[in-house]
């Protein structure tokens, strides 16, 4: 019986480490590799021409047709862990089984089988990075990357190509996809597997040079796209994460002559893995509402302010330069991402991180669903128990990174004439300086859209309010949101997960503290009154409670000084727990 | 003999609570399961119903109230309406839903005299702030113990007509007469309205939070301190702080102050700030030895000169903007009572000496958080060695630690964990 195989490329756009493709070639008579341009997702693709059939349409329409037309008996693809991907693939698997098509799926987009990690954590994804690292330590070793597919691998398998292949199945040009191509500068990030592998080699050379394996100190040059950057290639799968992992390991062993590399060596890969793990079972991961791991924060709706941020018109040169680089090149350094994400959300504009996700999705080459949403939640302190006191100043942070301001001048040529002293806060420059720079603030370049000190003062208060309410749920057992309890437990457990047992004191609250510090001292920051839960028994829910639905919201914590006994000046936390 | 439960049947224990207990006992006793004939949902004593309702979120309670008349009556019992939080959001400015207007009407109609602990959460729109004030103006029969006006985003109370706000607030001040806790940060409250507050509530006021109320003057807050001798918690901005205020709060008639929170905010670069005499702080400490002094600084680096020149009894210190090495050095010398320190950002010169000095001199320090700063790993380990046994909270961004000849980043968390007596990691940020 002839085995006609279709390999479906989605991500995993590579021939190295592609176990699904490798395994499905075995015993196949014909092989066709397809890429489906789903009109809904035509946004970004990174596709090269050889041996490829590009088909337009939705997978659920395309496949039944192809199964029949090409008499397909086998379908293979790389496993996609994202909720939408799993749903789509489940539908395709159903169609395949109806058409008696064998389905070959392999994991190669992540280092590990994510379901195993979750299983190891008792069926829940880890909610802190520390916990995740502890789990990773207990997992079996990462599987070796599959060998590269060559003509030899193909053996007697052929790809039937018709005369009019290019017309029917050729890779569409950018114009055909509806993109504007006039005036586009040359790509800073050329696509494809070949480029990815070359970059990997360069990246490793550079790393060997920085023999300490610390992150190199941040300087002005770090902000610019480098020929060793790998994140977009990891996203599309032009570079296998496992290949990268093993190459890093080999290099470390060579340079350090040490057997076990620290987890920090794989930082970039593990963060990616972490977010994939937390997202895989959560279809609401990119939203605030209905997302069990996301704190419900009363963000402001403000489309005007959002547009200014997205288009680099905030009046803060550092923020605007970063957003300009993003728009022009599709990549910004991760610290630059922190700066603009903080500015949009908890730092200055108090706009929802969901809006940030959408903008990054549009503009950022390496933004995939899980990592993008997860990072935004992290940076906006909406999840993963981040401390929210550190705020990136839109003036100071940039100035400390690049004191001369070259980065600003590169991406905001209108500010070229400003001296380093004023380039980060051009509105403070005296009139003569502005005139000399041929750039009057308010005319040629916008005035700052917020007063940063005032905005950060207000926002820190808002975050505290939220987290104080959350901290009420700690120790309340069933009354609290399940995820908060789970994570608090996680915190306690992760303290004991290492080899050294802690002293056994009750510092277990330390790994996850809401507010600046532990609840009792949050209370001592003069806000105790609003967390006393003498009322908790009657006001047991607020928006951050998973069972609270609908527009009727309940009263939350209000003071009942009479009910909570005043102990000494510092304490007073006892009243928080449900009475009666 | 079976005993059916009837509401008015007098029993040994007398009254409804005896009945309650017995019902509860029978319900919980597995032996008497068959015996529960006389008990049915309609006969469930109201006390029990009330108790159960208190556990239900409001929406569920509302549904329950539709079940039957008894349950409806219970839903409206005063005990369930003592606390309420009004959430006022507009779809154009918020993602969150608001308290339903019909519910608001019902509350004002049926329960306004039951309300005792009330808060208003408003979004950044002017309409929400005005809606809050409209409700406030109708609370004439209320004798509130707690009132909180909370902006969840931009301070929208500042954007509404001031007179509307003041008149609404005054309604509450005059009618309550027993306000104990008042939270009016970021509002246009002014001196005359504070006078009204004091005139009606001076015996009961215990907590007043009014940070960032630009229309209040030092004299206005002094009036509060002079008259409200039960005041235990106060939050205000630095421009309202004066020597007279501290002396007033330390007078014999005054109870011990527990918390004083001061926000020091710069409106424009180069702003000048007045100083507080050492003797005023000393009087405070003498009068209220355990009080917490919480200070939030949002200043430009050059505006710190009046501060930390002389000893100050601050316990919780937060620097919201970049603060210089020099100032942090002075903190070590002048803040012996320091318990918590948070530094949002500092700069690229290592804070090694300053941290060590703080460890040496601030013997009460139990929590520290460092944002965008630099500390060499060796100095950090030294710091933790010196105060590890009392540090309950240690939050350092990973980027802060600078590896040196003795320690690399990967070793440091073990060193620090050793001295802290528990597993510790720096705070991390995702790297994509």
């Amino acid at each position: 019986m002839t085995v006609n195989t279709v390999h479906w490329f989605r991500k995993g756009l590579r021939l190295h480490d592609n176990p699904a493709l490798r395994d499905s070639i075995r015993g196949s008579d014909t092989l066709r590799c397809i890429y489906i341009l789903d009109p809904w997702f035509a946004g970004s693709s990174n596709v090269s021409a050889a041996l490829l059939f590009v088909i337009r349409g939705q997978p659920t329409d395309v496949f039944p047709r192809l199964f029949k037309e090409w008499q397909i008996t086998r379908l293979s693809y790389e496993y996609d862990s994202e909720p939408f991907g799993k749903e789509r693939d489940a539908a395709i698997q159903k169609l395949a089984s109806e058409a008696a098509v064998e389905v070959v799926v392999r994991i190669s987009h992540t280092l590990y089988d994510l379901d195993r990690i979750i299983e190891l954590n008792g069926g829940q994804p880890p909610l802190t990075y520390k916990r995740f690292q502890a789990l990773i330590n207990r997992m079996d070793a990462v599987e070796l990357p599959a060998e590269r597919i060559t003509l030899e691998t193909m053996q007697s398998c052929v790809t039937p190509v018709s005369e009019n292949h290019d017309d029917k199945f050729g890779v569409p040009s950018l114009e055909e996809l509806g993109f504007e191509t006039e005036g586009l500068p040359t790509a800073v990030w050329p696509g494809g597997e070949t480029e990815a592998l070359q970059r990997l080699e360069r990246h490793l050379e550079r790393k060997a040079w920085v023999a300490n394996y610390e992150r190199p100190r941040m300087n002005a040059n770090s902000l610019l796209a480098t020929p060793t950057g790998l994140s977009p290639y990891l996203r599309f799968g032009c570079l296998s994460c496992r290949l990268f992992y093993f190459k890093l390991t080999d290099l470390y062993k060579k340079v350090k002559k040490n057997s076990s590399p620290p987890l920090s060596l794989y930082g970039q890969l593990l963060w990616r893995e972490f977010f994939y793990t937390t997202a895989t079972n959560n279809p609401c991961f990119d939203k605030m509402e209905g997302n069990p791991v996301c704190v419900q924060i009363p963000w402001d709706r403000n489309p005007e302010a959002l547009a200014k941020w997205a288009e680099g018109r905030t009046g803060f040169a550092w923020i605007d330069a970063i957003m300009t680089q993003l728009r022009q090149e599709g990549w910004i350094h991760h610290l630059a991402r922190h700066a603009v994400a903080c500015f949009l959300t908890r730092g200055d504009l108090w706009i929802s991180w969901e809006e940030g996700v959408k903008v990054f999705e549009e503009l950022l080459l390496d933004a995939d669903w899980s990592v993008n949403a997860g990072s935004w939640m992290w940076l906006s302190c909406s999840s993963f128990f981040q401390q929210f006191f550190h705020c990136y100043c839109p003036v100071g942070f940039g100035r400390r990174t690049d004191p001369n301001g070259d980065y600003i001048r590169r991406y905001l040529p209108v500010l070229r004439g400003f001296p380093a002293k004023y380039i980060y806060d051009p509105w403070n420059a005296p009139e003569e300086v502005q005139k000399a720079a041929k750039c009057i603030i308010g005319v040629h370049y916008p005035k700052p859209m917020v007063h940063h000190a005032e905005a950060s003062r207000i926002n820190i208060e808002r975050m505290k309010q939220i987290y104080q309410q959350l901290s009420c749920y700690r120790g309340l057992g069933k009354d609290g949101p399940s995820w908060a309890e789970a994570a608090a437990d996680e915190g306690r457990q992760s303290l004991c997960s290492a080899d050294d047992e802690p002293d056994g004191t009750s510092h277990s609250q330390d790994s996850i503290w809401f507010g600046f510090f532990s609840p009792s001292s949050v209370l001592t920051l003069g806000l105790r009154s609003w967390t006393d839960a003498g009322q908790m028994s009657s006001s047991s829910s607020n928006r951050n409670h998973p069972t609270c639905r609908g527009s009727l919201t309940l009263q939350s914590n209000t003071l009942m000084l009479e009910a909570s006994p005043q102990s000494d000046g510092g304490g007073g936390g006892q009243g928080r727990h449900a009475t009666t | 003999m079976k005993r059916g439960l009837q509401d008015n049947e007098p029993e040994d224990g007398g009254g409804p609570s005896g009945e309650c207990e017995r019902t509860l006992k029978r319900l919980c006793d597995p032996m008497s399961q068959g015996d529960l004939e006389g008990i049915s949902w309609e006969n469930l004593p109201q006390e029990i119903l009330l108790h159960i309702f208190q556990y239900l979120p409001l929406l569920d309670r509302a549904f329950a109230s539709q079940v039957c008349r008894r349950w409806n009556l219970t839903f409206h019992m005063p005990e369930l309406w003592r606390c309420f939080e009004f959430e006022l959001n507009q779809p154009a400015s918020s993602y969150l839903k608001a308290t339903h207007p019909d519910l608001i009407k019902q509350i004002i109609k049926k329960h306004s005299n039951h309300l005792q602990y009330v808060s208003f959460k408003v979004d950044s729109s002017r309409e929400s702030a005005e809606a809050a004030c409209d409700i406030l103006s109708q609370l004439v029969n209320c004798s509130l113990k707690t009132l909180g006006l909370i902006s969840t985003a931009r301070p929208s109370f500042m954007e509404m007509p001031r007179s509307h706000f003041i008149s609404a607030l005054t309604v509450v001040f005059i009618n309550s007469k027993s306000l104990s806790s008042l939270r009016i940060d970021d509002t246009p409250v002014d001196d005359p309205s504070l006078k009204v507050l004091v005139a009606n509530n001076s015996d009961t006021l215990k907590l007043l939070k009014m940070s960032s109320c630009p229309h209040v003057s030092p004299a206005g807050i002094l009036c509060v301190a002079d008259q409200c001798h039960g005041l235990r918690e106060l939050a205000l901005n630095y421009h309202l702080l004066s020597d007279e205020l501290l002396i007033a709060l330390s007078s014999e008639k005054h109870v011990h102050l527990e918390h004083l929170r001061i926000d020091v905010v710069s409106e424009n670069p180069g702003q000048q700030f007045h100083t507080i005499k050492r003797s005023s702080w000393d009087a405070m400490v003498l009068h209220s030895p355990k009080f917490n002094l919480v200070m939030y600084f949002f200043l430009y680096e050059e505006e710190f000169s009046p501060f930390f020149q002389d000893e100050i009894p601050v316990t919780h210190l937060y620097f919201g903007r970049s603060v210089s090495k020099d100032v942090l050095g002075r903190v070590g010398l002048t803040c012996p009572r320091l318990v918590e320190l948070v530094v949002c950002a500092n700069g690229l010169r290592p804070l090694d000496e300053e941290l060590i000095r703080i460890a040496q001199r601030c013997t009460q320090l139990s929590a520290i958080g460092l944002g965008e700063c630099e500390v060499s790993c060796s100095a950090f380990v030294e710091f933790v060695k010196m105060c590890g046994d009392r540090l309950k909270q240690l939050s350092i961004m990973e980027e802060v630690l600078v590896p040196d000849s003795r320690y690399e980043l990967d070793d440091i968390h073990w060193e620090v964990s050793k001295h802290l007596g528990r597993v510790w990691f720096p705070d991390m940020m995702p790297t994509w």
Side-chain angles (χ1 to χ4, degrees):
Chain A
M1 199 189 73
T2 11
V3 178
N4 296 320
T5 299
V6 163
H7 177 81
W8 180 17
F9 278 110
R10 299 95 69 85
K11 298 176 192 164
L13 302 174
R14 61 178 182 270
L15 296 176
H16 70 275
D17 191 25
N18 197 334
L21 178 55
R22 175 201 62 185
D23 289 351
S24 76
I25 289 179
R26 285 202 200 110
S28 289
D29 297 292
T30 66
L31 168 73
R32 289 174 177 85
C33 297
I34 67 171
Y35 184 90
I36 301 184
L37 262 185
D38 189 332
W40 282 22
F41 293 93
S44 24
S45 53
N46 207 328
V47 166
S48 79
L51 279 185
L52 197 61
F53 291 70
V54 178
I55 301 173
R56 283 167 230 238
Q58 293 208 9
T60 40
D61 298 327
V62 162
F63 276 109
R65 193 167 37 93
L66 291 183
F67 289 159
K68 256 177 98 180
E69 217 176 283
W70 293 340
Q71 299 190 330
I72 299 300
T73 51
R74 183 185 288 166
L75 168 65
S76 63
Y77 53 80
E78 179 186 68
Y79 178 69
D80 183 349
S81 66
E82 296 185 328
F84 167 76
K86 292 200 287 193
E87 210 184 296
R88 168 200 60 196
D89 292 346
I92 300 305
Q93 285 199 341
K94 190 151 170 286
L95 287 173
S97 74
E98 281 164 12
V101 172
E102 177 199 353
V103 179
V104 173
V105 187
R106 298 285 180 269
I107 293 174
S108 51
H109 192 66
T110 49
L111 295 172
Y112 298 95
D113 178 348
L114 304 180
D115 292 331
R116 281 278 302 130
I117 300 180
I118 293 177
E119 201 185 346
L120 206 59
N121 197 37
Q124 294 297 321
L127 288 177
T128 59
Y129 189 63
K130 294 171 206 173
R131 169 61 142 205
F132 175 75
Q133 286 180 308
L135 291 166
I136 293 296
N137 266 330
R138 289 162 55 196
M139 293 279 289
D140 294 333
V142 175
E143 266 186 45
L144 285 167
E147 62 283 10
R148 186 190 172 79
I149 291 163
T150 59
L151 279 176
E152 274 183 55
T153 330
M154 291 283 285
Q155 294 185 336
S156 57
C157 181
V158 290
T159 299
V161 179
S162 60
E163 289 257 317
N164 56 353
H165 174 96
D166 275 344
D167 292 332
K168 278 179 83 175
F169 301 114
V171 179
S173 63
L174 279 177
E175 290 90 355
E176 284 171 329
L177 286 174
F179 289 100
E180 270 293 316
T181 50
E182 263 191 48
L184 273 186
T186 38
V188 178
W189 299 87
E193 180 181 0
T194 321
E195 173 72 19
L197 292 170
Q198 280 172 4
R199 278 176 177 252
L200 176 62
E201 290 309 315
R202 274 182 248 138
H203 182 98
L204 294 168
E205 273 166 27
R206 187 160 163 268
K207 249 200 154 52
W209 206 50
V210 183
N212 274 342
Y213 292 96
E214 322 147 12
R215 276 162 310 125
R217 297 276 294 277
M218 178 76 173
N219 59 37
N221 274 332
S222 326
L223 293 168
L224 303 177
T226 69
T228 58
L230 294 174
S231 49
Y233 304 92
L234 284 169
R235 180 216 169 164
F236 288 104
C238 302
L239 172 63
S240 153
C241 58
R242 299 195 295 200
L243 182 67
F244 186 20
Y245 180 89
F246 280 102
K247 291 259 176 174
L248 278 174
T249 313
D250 290 342
L251 186 61
Y252 184 86
K253 287 184 184 166
K254 232 181 358 188
V255 174
K256 288 281 195 174
K257 300 186 191 2
N258 193 325
S259 54
S260 53
L263 282 181
S264 58
L265 179 65
Y266 311 107
Q268 188 178 9
L269 288 173
L270 290 180
W271 278 105
R272 178 177 172 273
E273 199 85 0
F274 172 66
F275 287 126
Y276 270 116
T277 313
T278 18
T280 182
N281 292 333
N282 184 355
C284 296
F285 194 64
D286 62 342
K287 304 197 183 352
M288 178 172 79
E289 195 177 335
N291 183 350
V293 304
C294 185
V295 178
Q296 307 295 307
I297 296 179
W299 305 113
D300 210 7
R301 254 198 222 274
N302 192 335
E304 221 183 284
L306 173 62
K308 285 190 184 159
W309 173 82
E311 293 161 23
R313 294 184 283 117
T314 64
F316 289 88
W318 169 238
I319 303 294
D320 292 341
I322 296 173
M323 294 307 284
T324 306
Q325 182 188 21
L326 175 60
R327 192 168 285 277
Q328 282 177 6
E329 297 174 15
W331 180 91
I332 46 178
H333 188 274
H334 74 262
L335 286 179
R337 295 177 205 203
H338 298 170
V340 297
C342 184
F343 186 85
L344 180 71
T345 58
R346 63 185 176 85
D348 294 76
L349 299 187
W350 199 252
I351 287 178
S352 171
W353 58 273
E354 293 180 64
E355 305 294 345
V357 165
K358 290 180 202 150
V359 172
F360 269 28
E361 202 165 50
E362 191 198 322
L363 298 177
L364 192 58
L365 279 175
D366 58 30
D368 60 28
W369 190 82
S370 314
V371 180
N372 194 17
S375 299
W376 271 96
M377 277 197 278
W378 190 291
L379 296 172
S380 62
C381 290
S382 297
S383 191
F384 311 116
F385 310 103
Q386 279 314 294
Q387 297 314 319
F388 55 80
F389 64 79
H390 43 77
C391 180
Y392 294 98
C393 177
V395 173
F397 183 49
R399 188 174 270 151
R400 285 185 279 279
T401 306
D402 174 19
N404 209 32
D406 295 324
Y407 178 76
I408 308 262
R409 291 196 191 85
R410 184 192 175 104
Y411 291 101
L412 297 178
V414 68
L415 295 179
R416 263 197 198 130
F418 279 89
K421 182 168 178 200
Y422 292 112
I423 196 165
Y424 286 94
D425 49 351
W427 62 90
N428 281 331
E431 223 185 291
E432 318 84 65
V433 175
Q434 293 187 27
K435 282 205 182 112
K438 298 201 182 58
C439 174
I440 307 295
I441 301 307
V443 177
H444 304 105
Y445 182 73
K447 289 200 181 131
M449 65 184 289
V450 288
H451 184 261
H452 174 69
E454 185 60 13
S456 57
R457 178 193 69 78
I458 292 174
N459 292 342
I460 215 92
E461 271 314 299
R462 308 302 168 236
M463 290 304 284
K464 269 222 285 202
Q465 280 165 21
I466 312 290
Y467 275 85
Q468 265 191 296
Q469 284 198 305
L470 281 180
S471 73
C472 291
Y473 291 124
R474 292 171 64 180
L476 280 185
K478 295 195 204 62
D479 282 351
S482 54
W483 63 266
E485 278 310 301
D489 278 339
E490 204 172 284
R492 281 187 278 277
Q493 284 166 35
S494 72
L495 289 175
C496 307
S497 65
D499 297 324
D500 295 341
E501 283 297 314
D503 259 350
T505 54
S506 62
H507 291 308
S508 58
Q509 294 177 352
D510 296 337
S511 63
I512 300 170
W513 21 284
F514 302 116
F516 290 130
F517 303 113
S518 69
S520 59
S521 62
V522 161
L523 300 181
T524 65
L525 293 178
L527 298 169
R528 155 179 20 137
S529 42
W530 296 99
T531 62
D532 273 334
Q535 293 300 300
M536 280 313 287
S537 54
S538 64
S539 55
S540 54
S541 77
N542 75 351
R543 183 159 284 113
N544 284 309
H545 192 302
T547 70
C548 183
R549 301 272 182 268
S551 58
L552 286 182
T553 58
L554 190 63
Q555 58 273 25
S556 65
N557 341 294
T558 49
L559 170 66
M560 196 154 146
L561 265 179
E562 296 78 0
S564 62
Q566 300 296 336
S567 47
D568 61 62
Q574 291 73 14
R576 282 190 302 118
H577 301 287
T579 56
T580 59
Chain B
M1 183 174 84
K2 290 204 187 113
R3 275 174 170 177
L5 272 184
Q6 279 149 37
D7 282 354
N8 299 317
E9 189 177 354
E11 286 292 336
D12 317 329
S17 50
E19 193 190 343
C20 231
E21 264 187 56
R22 270 191 301 285
T23 312
L24 275 174
K25 268 205 184 122
R26 287 173 70 181
L27 285 170
C28 298
D29 180 0
M31 297 300 283
S32 74
Q33 287 305 320
D35 221 19
L36 295 174
E37 274 178 31
I39 300 176
S40 60
W41 287 112
E42 307 96 74
N43 294 344
L44 212 53
Q46 209 162 39
E47 263 195 31
I48 298 185
L49 265 183
L50 181 63
H51 188 82
I52 295 172
F53 273 29
Q54 285 178 330
Y55 285 99
L56 292 177
L58 186 54
L59 184 60
D60 294 345
R61 225 188 277 169
F63 285 140
S65 76
Q66 305 294 298
V67 165
C68 64
R69 194 145 40 110
R70 244 184 122 199
W71 285 28
N72 194 279
L73 278 173
T74 311
F75 178 64
H76 286 291
M77 286 179 74
E79 289 85 335
L80 293 173
W81 297 98
R82 291 225 190 90
C83 309
F84 199 80
E85 181 165 84
F86 293 92
E87 297 203 38
L88 302 165
N89 303 313
Q90 309 300 318
S93 44
S94 170
Y95 295 92
L96 303 179
K97 300 205 177 80
T99 310
H100 202 283
D102 290 342
L103 176 60
I104 297 180
K105 281 200 199 101
Q106 261 219 352
I107 292 176
I108 295 179
K109 197 168 107 180
K110 283 192 171 168
H111 300 291
S112 61
N113 52 334
H114 302 147
L115 290 173
Q116 289 182 335
Y117 308 93
V118 174
S119 57
F120 291 85
K121 278 197 171 152
V122 301
D123 67 8
S124 53
S125 69
R126 200 173 120 155
E127 293 95 315
S128 298
E130 290 187 338
C133 291
D134 285 337
I135 299 172
L136 271 179
S137 315
Q138 296 179 65
L139 298 181
V140 243
N141 294 322
C142 266
S143 85
L144 294 183
K145 294 205 174 100
T146 298
L147 174 64
L149 300 180
I150 303 168
S151 330
T152 60
R154 281 197 319 275
S156 45
F157 285 111
M158 297 300 294
E159 286 165 29
M160 57 177 293
R162 206 202 308 184
S163 50
H164 183 188
F165 177 82
I166 299 292
S167 59
L169 201 58
T170 325
V171 165
V172 175
F173 288 173
I174 293 179
N175 287 288
S176 288
K177 299 210 189 312
S178 59
L179 268 177
S180 135
S181 181
L182 181 62
R183 187 172 165 177
I184 43 176
D185 310 273
D186 290 301
T187 60
V189 66
D190 56 11
D191 288 358
S193 38
L194 283 183
K195 279 216 176 80
V196 175
L197 168 69
V198 166
N200 290 281
N201 302 277
S202 60
D203 294 336
T204 49
L205 195 65
K206 294 191 178 87
L207 177 149
L208 176 60
K209 290 180 47 55
M210 34 172 277
S211 302
S212 300
C213 293
H215 302 300
V216 176
S217 78
I221 190 65
L222 191 55
C223 168
V224 176
D226 278 334
Q227 311 271 351
C228 303
H229 299 141
L231 199 61
R232 297 191 218 172
E233 286 191 34
L234 181 59
L236 40 62
N237 275 28
Y238 191 74
H239 78 273
L240 293 181
L241 191 67
S242 60
D243 295 300
E244 292 78 19
L245 180 65
L246 292 179
I247 302 295
L249 290 171
S250 328
S251 82
E252 265 180 21
K253 295 176 282 185
H254 233 280
V255 303
H256 297 309
L257 193 73
E258 289 172 20
H259 301 283
L260 178 59
R261 168 172 163 164
I262 303 176
D263 285 15
V264 191
V265 186
S266 158
E267 312 285 317
N268 297 299
Q271 192 170 334
Q272 300 291 334
F273 291 90
H274 65 282
T275 46
I276 300 292
K277 294 199 196 106
R278 166 87 182 259
S279 52
S280 315
W281 287 121
D282 288 346
M284 275 294 305
V285 177
L286 196 61
H287 180 78
S288 311
K290 295 204 178 128
F291 92 107
N292 289 313
L293 176 58
V294 180
M295 296 186 78
Y296 280 64
F297 283 89
F298 292 94
L299 300 184
Y300 291 91
E301 280 193 26
E302 61 270 18
E303 292 166 335
F304 275 99
S305 38
F307 298 102
F308 306 109
Q309 301 291 358
D310 203 351
E311 219 177 81
I312 179 173
V314 62
T315 52
H316 299 72
L317 198 47
Y318 173 72
F319 291 103
R321 305 191 67 147
S322 165
V323 61
S324 68
K325 244 169 95 77
D326 179 52
V327 171
L328 284 175
R330 300 206 309 261
V331 163
L333 292 174
T334 55
C335 305
R337 289 176 94 226
L338 195 63
V339 170
E340 292 183 357
L341 174 64
V342 176
V343 179
C344 207
N346 169 262
L348 290 181
R349 290 165 60 212
L351 294 177
D352 298 0
E353 291 153 17
E354 289 74 14
L355 263 192
I356 304 287
R357 181 187 292 162
I358 288 175
Q360 283 168 340
R361 316 264 309 228
C362 303
T363 56
Q364 308 298 315
L365 190 75
S366 66
I368 186 162
L370 295 180
E372 208 202 313
C373 307
E374 278 204 0
V375 180
S376 75
C377 286
S378 305
F380 186 61
V381 171
E382 192 56 39
F383 172 80
V384 179
K385 266 193 201 151
M386 291 170 75
C387 49
D389 52 340
R390 45 190 160 95
L391 276 184
K392 293 202 190 74
Q393 306 294 345
L394 180 59
S395 173
I396 314 287
M397 297 280 307
E398 197 188 19
E399 292 135 27
V400 167
L401 297 168
V402 179
D404 52 30
S405 49
R406 287 177 61 199
Y407 297 102
E408 289 190 5
L409 275 180
D410 291 314
D411 315 315
I412 196 149
H413 87 94
W414 286 117
E415 274 300 311
V416 172
S417 305
K418 254 181 5 205
H419 296 295
L420 281 182
R422 60 183 189 273
V423 178
W424 178 89
F425 286 94
D427 292 345
M428 309 186 84
M429 286 294 224
T431 34
W432 329 20

